[in-house]
Amino acid sequence: MAIHYPNGKVYTPKKEPLKIKKKDYSFSNRGKTLEDELNDANEYYLLNDLAVIYKKPIPIQVVRVEYPSRSSAMIKEAYYRTPSTTDFNGVYQGKYIDFEAKETENKTAFPLKNVHEHQVKHMRSVTKQNGVCFLLVRFSAFDRYFYLPFEQLELFWDRMLTGGRKSIALSEFEEHAIEITPKYAPRIDYLKIVDNLNV
Amino acid sequence: MAIHYPNGKVYTPKKEPLKIKKKDYSFSNRGKTLEDELNDANEYYLLNDLAVIYKKPIPIQVVRVEYPSRSSAMIKEAYYRTPSTTDFNGVYQGKYIDFEAKETENKTAFPLKNVHEHQVKHMRSVTKQNGVCFLLVRFSAFDRYFYLPFEQLELFWDRMLTGGRKSIALSEFEEHAIEITPKYAPRIDYLKIVDNLNV
């Protein structure tokens, strides 16, 4: 016997509803760039009095400026310059922190052409001054993050200079870098690694 | 009797020549801006493996970019943004160094309107993280330089906020800041003060 609703329509049991996998947004990167994620982490550190770390502005060579009104300056011609240092620096509990952040779509290795020679030189100088210096790499295809201490980066860099491979294999990151597991807040808690390394 | 040159012109002894004071260029600032002088000092520190300190690029908001050729980008519209931090930062023997540099033509005092509130906030955060933080002021009229530790700057800042004077008198610099005497290389050796303060 068919069951009827009060309005006369026949009741038909629904099929099992489509299982929509609820994405846990709190742990996802929501399509953010690595730079955005690190800015989020730095904002978290700053607001919680944990560290003062900023991304440096991109260096720009200004050639021509106009003044449409008395108070405002409009740059009409300018060019990007090659940065001579790394992306991020700041202070964490008296320690000087300095790092470069890079993401790659590559699934097997991080190409070293993403790092410039003057940046390696800069990181070497910082390390000499006892700064905490590292490369932070995101393998975007897997949403995996690695903290590679400069001392390790330098070994791979020198391997390239002496005719070896021009990239660092993902498996080498697994062996020589420290993986950062995304968590709630901040998502990319890279200073935790500094703590653990006790550098 | 008048003396004549071979060409018949009368010889007239010249007047005492104008005394041109020879400037000692090695110790002078040669009309350099304070920023130039500090960049010189930082270059000296870097080349001699003493410290790694850079001026941060000026933050610029890029609105429109054109590509006149495949490889070059030309910025056609951009605006200066207010910096949220200080001018210079870096590392010196493991210590995080962070400072703002200002010059004034004023002969009696340094007007505090040259420092922004967010910079004071930044310096407070850096001090909490045990960074070495200070204001470097040049009184250009006298070619005098002062290193004012943030803790001192904060006292003058708070005095202003509680209705007191809106500047720091030169005499107050003489009393509460450390004067930097220009020397040969680097001319403005501000890290010497960090050594002496043993911060």
Side-chain angles (χ1 to χ4, degrees):
Chain A
M1 192 188 85
I3 302 165
H4 288 253
Y5 279 114
N7 65 5
K9 276 186 84 176
V10 176
Y11 168 69
T12 321
K14 279 178 192 154
K15 286 181 193 163
E16 180 79 351
L18 265 169
K19 269 206 178 143
I20 296 160
K21 200 188 162 206
K22 259 202 174 165
K23 211 175 169 187
D24 181 356
Y25 276 108
S26 56
F27 282 79
S28 90
N29 64 25
R30 301 180 217 197
K32 283 189 172 183
T33 64
L34 177 58
E35 183 180 319
D36 288 340
E37 292 187 293
L38 293 172
N39 285 338
D40 286 351
N42 291 338
E43 199 181 330
Y44 177 90
Y45 292 144
L46 184 66
L47 292 175
N48 291 279
D49 276 339
L50 293 170
V52 184
I53 297 169
Y54 282 96
K55 172 154 193 328
K56 286 183 206 165
I58 297 164
I60 289 173
Q61 178 74 48
V62 175
V63 175
R64 196 159 57 86
V65 182
E66 283 181 10
Y67 297 86
S69 74
R70 281 216 294 183
S71 58
S72 72
M74 188 198 278
I75 298 164
K76 296 293 285 181
E77 187 184 348
Y79 300 90
Y80 291 107
R81 278 165 35 196
T82 311
S84 44
T85 65
T86 43
D87 277 347
F88 293 87
N89 77 348
V91 60
Y92 171 50
Q93 296 177 7
K95 287 171 185 153
Y96 175 73
I97 308 289
D98 191 306
F99 64 101
E100 182 68 21
K102 295 284 181 201
E103 48 194 321
T104 181
E105 296 292 334
N106 195 308
K107 287 176 183 167
T108 54
F110 171 75
L112 279 168
K113 67 167 191 281
N114 288 316
V115 181
H116 301 293
E117 207 214 320
H118 50 258
Q119 291 180 318
V120 173
K121 201 178 158 196
H122 168 76
M123 292 172 106
R124 198 177 284 127
S125 300
V126 166
T127 303
K128 270 191 199 166
Q129 290 300 320
N130 292 317
V132 178
C133 202
F134 55 93
L135 177 70
L136 211 156
V137 172
R138 172 166 98 181
F139 283 88
S140 298
F142 312 116
D143 200 29
R144 290 183 72 182
Y145 301 76
F146 293 94
Y147 174 120
L148 187 71
F150 172 70
E151 290 79 359
Q152 289 294 332
L153 170 63
E154 197 175 24
L155 295 176
F156 293 119
W157 187 263
D158 290 346
R159 177 175 73 179
M160 175 181 73
L161 293 186
T162 53
R165 64 179 293 173
K166 292 177 174 56
S167 62
I168 307 173
L170 175 53
S171 60
E172 290 175 323
F173 274 95
E174 288 168 339
E175 192 177 346
H176 301 285
I178 301 100
E179 185 157 4
I180 302 171
T181 312
K183 60 183 199 69
Y184 182 61
R187 190 169 185 271
I188 307 304
D189 190 6
Y190 61 90
L191 289 181
K192 196 82 187 161
I193 312 294
V194 175
D195 289 336
N196 292 345
L197 287 177
N198 200 17
V199 279
Chain B
M1 194 185 85
I3 302 164
H4 287 254
Y5 280 114
N7 65 5
K9 274 185 84 177
V10 177
Y11 167 71
T12 321
K14 279 181 192 150
K15 286 183 195 161
E16 181 80 351
L18 266 168
K19 266 205 178 143
I20 295 159
K21 199 184 162 204
K22 259 201 174 167
K23 215 173 166 186
D24 180 358
Y25 277 109
S26 55
F27 283 81
S28 89
N29 64 24
R30 301 181 217 198
K32 284 190 172 182
T33 63
L34 177 58
E35 183 179 321
D36 288 340
E37 292 188 291
L38 293 171
N39 286 338
D40 287 351
N42 291 338
E43 200 181 328
Y44 177 91
Y45 293 142
L46 184 65
L47 292 175
N48 290 280
D49 276 339
L50 293 170
V52 184
I53 297 168
Y54 282 96
K55 171 149 192 330
K56 288 184 204 164
I58 298 163
I60 288 173
Q61 178 74 48
V62 175
V63 176
R64 195 159 57 86
V65 182
E66 284 181 8
Y67 297 87
S69 77
R70 281 215 295 183
S71 59
S72 72
M74 188 199 277
I75 297 163
K76 295 294 284 180
E77 187 184 348
Y79 300 90
Y80 291 106
R81 278 164 37 195
T82 310
S84 44
T85 66
T86 43
D87 277 347
F88 294 86
N89 76 349
V91 61
Y92 171 52
Q93 297 177 8
K95 287 172 186 152
Y96 174 73
I97 308 288
D98 192 305
F99 64 101
E100 182 67 21
K102 295 285 180 199
E103 49 193 321
T104 181
E105 297 292 335
N106 195 307
K107 288 175 182 168
T108 55
F110 172 74
L112 280 168
K113 67 167 192 279
N114 289 317
V115 181
H116 300 293
E117 207 214 319
H118 50 259
Q119 291 181 317
V120 173
K121 202 178 156 192
H122 169 75
M123 294 172 105
R124 198 177 285 127
S125 299
V126 165
T127 302
K128 270 192 200 166
Q129 289 300 319
N130 291 319
V132 178
C133 201
F134 55 92
L135 176 70
L136 212 156
V137 172
R138 173 166 99 180
F139 283 88
S140 298
F142 311 117
D143 200 32
R144 290 182 73 181
Y145 302 75
F146 292 94
Y147 173 120
L148 187 70
F150 172 70
E151 290 80 357
Q152 289 294 332
L153 170 63
E154 197 176 25
L155 295 178
F156 293 118
W157 186 263
D158 290 346
R159 179 176 69 180
M160 176 181 71
L161 293 186
T162 51
R165 65 179 290 171
K166 294 178 173 57
S167 63
I168 307 173
L170 175 54
S171 60
E172 291 175 322
F173 274 94
E174 289 169 339
E175 191 176 348
H176 300 286
I178 300 101
E179 185 157 5
I180 303 171
T181 312
K183 59 184 200 71
Y184 183 60
R187 190 169 184 273
I188 308 303
D189 190 7
Y190 62 89
L191 290 180
K192 197 82 185 164
I193 312 294
V194 176
D195 289 338
N196 292 346
L197 288 178
N198 201 18
V199 279

